Amino acid sequence: MIQLRHRATGRYLTVLPDIAGITDLVDNRVVTTENSDLNSCLQITISDPSRKFQKVETFQADLVLLSLNNKCALKMGEKQLPEYGAKQIEVTCTRRHVRNPNSVQFTLEHNISPHEPENTQSIQPSGFLQKLSEMQVKMLVTNNALLPSEEERSSRPWMWPLDWEGLWFALSHKHGGVYFLGNPVIFWTNLLMIFVLLFINVRQAYAKLRAQEILYEEKELYQTNWYLFGYLLHYIPFFLMGRVLYFHHFYSAFIFNCMLTGGVVELLLARCSTRSATRLRCALLLGILASFVAFAPLAYGIPVDEDHKTYGYVTWFRWLETWSF
């Protein structure tokens, strides 16, 4: 049994048995009190039964803090407290921990004990792989705790390849702002080329299966498939994250997507004559350049007047209703 006491103020972490939480009306509220009682007593248990009699290690063991007097377990909430709570995540005490054990698990990051000798031989420096594993767990836990505030605008991963919406930076009523929007010509071409690459792979596999003529260079196709693998490796994990996400998180995957587009274009142009391939490359580059000129005032914060005399033409390129410029 333990009691958690705040070192700076001397107040005890206490579970209020008959008062609901602020962001969760089902679970009990957890506060700090000047005096301790039975509601301040917590029992530490290890959630994994197989580790019950093993040594507790930092970042490895999942601990559960039980309030035996209230028959509940401390839980991190999913919503932020209001302004007076410094927008922190509320801690409550839930009786539903049996149905959802993951919500009440805590990890031990560091331990300092006066009973442990300073130069004890039982404490060994962590190896590289152990440190790497611990930091990955720490980053995962920390990232999932980053939740958007009520007035904050975030986005979801499915929006990014579609260039679904942008994001305002340094916005002011007097001077306007910078609108962070992907180049739609590049974004939508990249998205199209992913499906083209999948079709090429299916067509190539079918040709091999039927012992037909191979239409595309094997080495070039192999390299382009690696670009697809890199794209998925940097994009798919965002669907598994519970943290707040923004448009710029897509740009690591976007680099691979651009390389994929270049690979697919070269695979397709390899079947054209030299003159036709050159013309198509020039047309693609001109389209990219034209789209850059069209959307540059937004990205670089160039003043746009209301009578469309100075870069006012950007309002003509508001192709999607979700673009808020």
Side-chain angles (χ1 to χ4, degrees), residues 72-88:
C72 60
L74 262 61
K75 183 194 76 168
M76 293 291 292
E78 298 179 355
K79 297 180 179 180
Q80 290 179 321
L81 290 168
E83 290 287 344
Y84 62 80
K87 295 185 178 180
Q88 298 298 307

Side-chain angles (χ1 to χ4, degrees), residues 3-24:
Q3 290 180 329
L4 298 179
R5 182 171 176 264
H6 190 244
R7 187 170 183 177
T9 61
R11 297 175 67 88
Y12 293 89
L13 194 71
T14 305
V15 178
L16 300 181
D18 300 321
I19 302 179
I22 298 174
T23 61
D24 192 329

